[in-house]
Amino acid sequence: MKYLDEYRNPDIARRMLEEIRNVTTKPWVIMEICGGQTHSIIKNGIDRLLPKEIELVHGPGCPVCVTPLEQIDKALEIAGRKDVIFTSFGDMLRVPGSDKDLFMVKSQGGDVRVVYSPLDAVKIAQDNPDKQVVFFAVGFETTAPNNAMSVWQAHQQGVKNFSILVSHVLVPPAMEALLSSSQNRVQGYLAAGHVCTIMGWEEYEPIAERFKVPIVVTGFEPLDILEGILMTVKQLEAGRAEVENQYTRVVRREGNRPAQDLVAKVFQVSNRKWRGIGEIPASGFSLRPKFALHDAEQVFNVGDLKVDEPSECISGIVLQGLKKPYECPAFGKQCTPENPLGATMVSTEGACSAYYAYSRHDLPVDG
Amino acid sequence: MCLAIPGKVLEIYDEDGLKMGRIDYAGTVNKACLAYVPEIEPGQYTIVHAGFAISIIDEEEAQKTYEVWEELVQAAAEEGTDIFGMPLEKDSDTPKGGGKP
Ligand code: SF4
């Protein structure tokens, strides 16, 4: 497949690893933000091929994993209603709420449907005028334009029975929150390539400068990730802290302007709770008041629901890169992908699930 | 969640006032919304996320990257060994897929 196979070439990977070895003289801690990158790193064993000085820690970049329990409970509450068709991306269905998940609602007779694009949900609403159709709008900046378009289309076409339950989060505020923490270990970031495809990287420049961390916008294939690591290590070794772009075939500095414009029309920045981390100021999106008709929290009056998270799962600490999944006492025992206790075990992009799938049950050889 | 895959635009059409396209992902054809890449044309490659094209792949940039990477491998081939100290195979200096895209 063009634009995929070229980025998996083992000869080039070997050379890049050699380059990384050549430039590394000190220990460094690098965080990949995005869960898609975590999955690729663990699947390809990249963390184990790196020189032992370089530790990769896995970031909070899995929207499924950071969607707070109360948003899941709101989804469950709405999906259980009789006149509702509840639509979602497939990976939200098994995320545990306080006492069940969307699959259980479905098996108890709820009309829960998986869609590939939020526009499909608008179509379902057009085809079912006597039902309320709700889409679970979860995601980072990458997904926000798609969800914004669904609301915009419903608004333009007068589809009044379509609403979205918003749980949108933004990456840069989370990066800053991690760097500001007294426990922070992160010295360099691989920034998420597809988030930057939409947003560009201008907003990362002040972060790199203020916290003196190199930030390299990185793609998702093994060679992309290796090159991103190489660029980050070169900066760290040289004492530089700049924003660089590895993913040049896809990402431009200004990002995707038409997408940014529609997002700004439909959403406004608001405080958001992150599962396992807590509330981060100005770290997400809510619908603008003009679109209240398409805001499921208002349509179904569930805005006030608040719940606390159970304590046995340490996914909040895992998501901040402070512990590895195998350090959780429940990992692989009470908590497995079949019976997940936390969202990081549900999504294939969650660190716990990636470690489980590729049998990382023990400490790595190099400690 | 932010998964996005490359595909080639086969055909462009309009649906409910939105620019849409039929996209070929290595043989599997599916539709995607092209509203965020308004200047895209059939034959170009794009990155698609959850039913939306979010960027046109820059072929020139992709080509530049391959060239840099090929040089890396060439340099190693001249040295004659890989990082594991193993002699490089003859054909490894023309990497699979590393040539003309
Ligand atoms: S292994 Fe399970 S319980 Fe432990 S942190 Fe991961 S998701 Fe939570």
Side-chain angles (χ1 to χ4, degrees):
Chain A
M1 169 73 199
K2 193 175 168 187
Y3 293 118
L4 280 182
D5 298 341
E6 307 92 306
Y7 303 98
R8 297 174 181 173
N9 180 317
D11 296 323
I12 302 177
R14 244 183 244 135
R15 255 316 269 161
M16 245 180 245
L17 279 162
E18 187 178 7
E19 277 291 301
I20 295 171
R21 272 169 218 272
N22 288 344
V23 299
T24 307
T25 67
K26 293 193 208 66
W28 299 111
V29 178
I30 300 172
M31 175 179 273
E32 83 281 357
I33 311 280
C34 171
Q37 291 170 337
T38 303
H39 188 92
S40 182
I41 286 165
I42 303 301
K43 178 178 173 191
N44 294 292
I46 290 174
D47 54 331
R48 290 183 164 177
L49 294 169
L50 291 172
K52 65 176 186 317
E53 288 86 353
I54 296 179
E55 185 189 348
L56 293 181
V57 292
H58 317 306
C62 162
V64 178
C65 304
V66 302
T67 299
L69 194 53
E70 59 193 38
Q71 289 308 99
I72 308 284
D73 283 356
K74 286 176 198 170
L76 295 166
E77 147 82 25
I78 295 170
R81 298 200 192 184
K82 263 186 87 188
D83 55 344
V84 166
I85 301 175
F86 194 89
T87 62
S88 166
F89 294 135
D91 39 7
M92 294 308 293
L93 264 54
R94 293 193 46 246
V95 179
S98 289
D99 56 9
K100 55 186 169 197
D101 59 28
L102 282 166
F103 257 125
M104 286 183 212
V105 173
K106 190 176 163 74
S107 67
Q108 289 159 5
D111 193 345
V112 178
R113 304 185 192 179
V114 171
V115 291
Y116 164 66
S117 158
L119 288 179
D120 298 342
V122 179
K123 190 101 197 37
I124 293 173
Q126 283 170 316
D127 295 344
N128 295 275
D130 53 331
K131 299 265 180 166
Q132 283 289 333
V133 176
V134 183
F135 176 71
F136 201 175
V138 171
F140 283 123
E141 291 93 326
T142 319
T143 318
N146 306 12
N147 297 344
M149 183 64 86
S150 71
V151 170
W152 184 249
Q153 275 299 98
H155 175 75
Q156 294 287 95
Q157 313 266 325
V159 186
K160 296 200 167 64
N161 60 329
F162 174 78
S163 61
I164 65 174
L165 177 62
V166 183
S167 189
H168 259 293
V169 279
L170 299 169
V171 171
M175 288 167 74
E176 283 188 65
L178 292 177
L179 291 172
S180 309
S181 152
S182 58
Q183 300 176 65
N184 174 55
R185 300 177 56 226
V186 177
Q187 294 166 293
Y189 275 121
L190 303 184
H194 292 143
V195 167
C196 297
T197 304
I198 302 298
M199 300 307 292
W201 67 78
E202 285 154 334
E203 57 187 334
Y204 295 86
E205 287 164 355
I207 300 177
E209 205 182 298
R210 178 165 152 226
F211 293 97
K212 305 273 173 294
V213 287
I215 301 176
V216 177
V217 178
T218 304
F220 296 81
E221 294 303 321
L223 292 187
D224 290 323
I225 290 172
L226 285 170
E227 192 173 42
I229 293 169
L230 175 61
M231 289 165 77
T232 311
V233 174
K234 278 186 180 164
Q235 285 205 46
L236 287 166
E237 291 280 347
R240 286 186 294 128
E242 292 158 23
V243 182
E244 290 181 313
N245 182 21
Q246 181 278 328
Y247 202 25
T248 53
R249 65 190 182 277
V250 172
V251 182
R252 275 119 235 169
R253 182 168 189 272
E254 71 283 4
N256 184 324
R257 291 282 193 222
Q260 291 167 19
D261 291 346
L262 196 75
V263 166
K265 235 187 230 174
V266 172
F267 292 120
Q268 62 193 19
V269 172
S270 64
N271 298 349
R272 279 279 166 199
K273 248 196 197 176
W274 295 54
R275 191 168 194 162
I277 297 179
E279 184 164 291
I280 305 178
S283 68
F285 285 135
S286 310
L287 280 170
R288 289 194 178 277
K290 184 181 170 192
F291 300 100
L293 182 67
H294 302 291
D295 185 346
E297 294 203 18
Q298 297 189 41
V299 175
F300 297 95
N301 204 11
V302 291
D304 294 337
L305 192 91
K306 296 249 181 309
V307 275
D308 289 325
E309 291 175 29
S311 56
E312 68 267 28
C313 169
I314 63 157
S315 67
I317 300 169
V318 173
L319 286 167
Q320 295 173 65
L322 299 174
K323 280 205 169 154
K324 294 271 158 53
Y326 50 72
E327 293 176 83
C328 170
F331 177 77
K333 300 187 183 91
Q334 301 94 307
C335 182
T336 61
E338 289 71 44
N339 185 19
L341 291 181
T344 41
M345 188 57 100
V346 174
S347 164
T348 53
E349 294 178 3
C352 298
S353 142
Y355 272 65
Y356 191 88
Y358 301 107
S359 302
R360 299 295 185 83
H361 298 253
D362 301 311
L363 293 165
V365 195
D366 290 334
Chain B
M1 172 77 68
C2 294
L3 180 74
I5 51 170
K8 185 179 184 173
V9 179
L10 298 177
E11 191 194 335
I12 294 174
Y13 60 97
D14 181 283
E15 192 178 295
D16 290 336
L18 282 181
K19 181 168 176 167
M20 301 289 291
R22 292 196 333 120
I23 316 286
D24 178 3
Y25 309 95
T28 311
V29 176
N30 212 333
K31 70 174 182 178
C33 177
L34 304 180
Y36 294 132
V37 286
E39 68 280 27
I40 202 163
E41 285 167 18
Q44 284 187 306
Y45 280 81
T46 175
I47 292 275
V48 179
H49 166 66
F52 285 72
I54 56 172
S55 175
I56 302 173
I57 295 182
D58 186 329
E59 306 224 5
E60 231 170 80
E61 283 294 338
Q63 187 56 36
K64 264 195 245 163
T65 305
Y66 301 139
E67 279 162 19
V68 173
W69 289 354
E70 266 178 59
E71 269 167 35
L72 262 182
V73 175
Q74 296 289 342
E78 274 151 33
E79 286 161 25
T81 54
D82 69 15
I83 48 162
F84 308 111
M86 302 300 285
L88 281 170
E89 291 161 34
K90 264 271 168 308
D91 59 359
S92 64
D93 47 16
T94 41
K96 281 170 264 145
K100 298 280 165 296

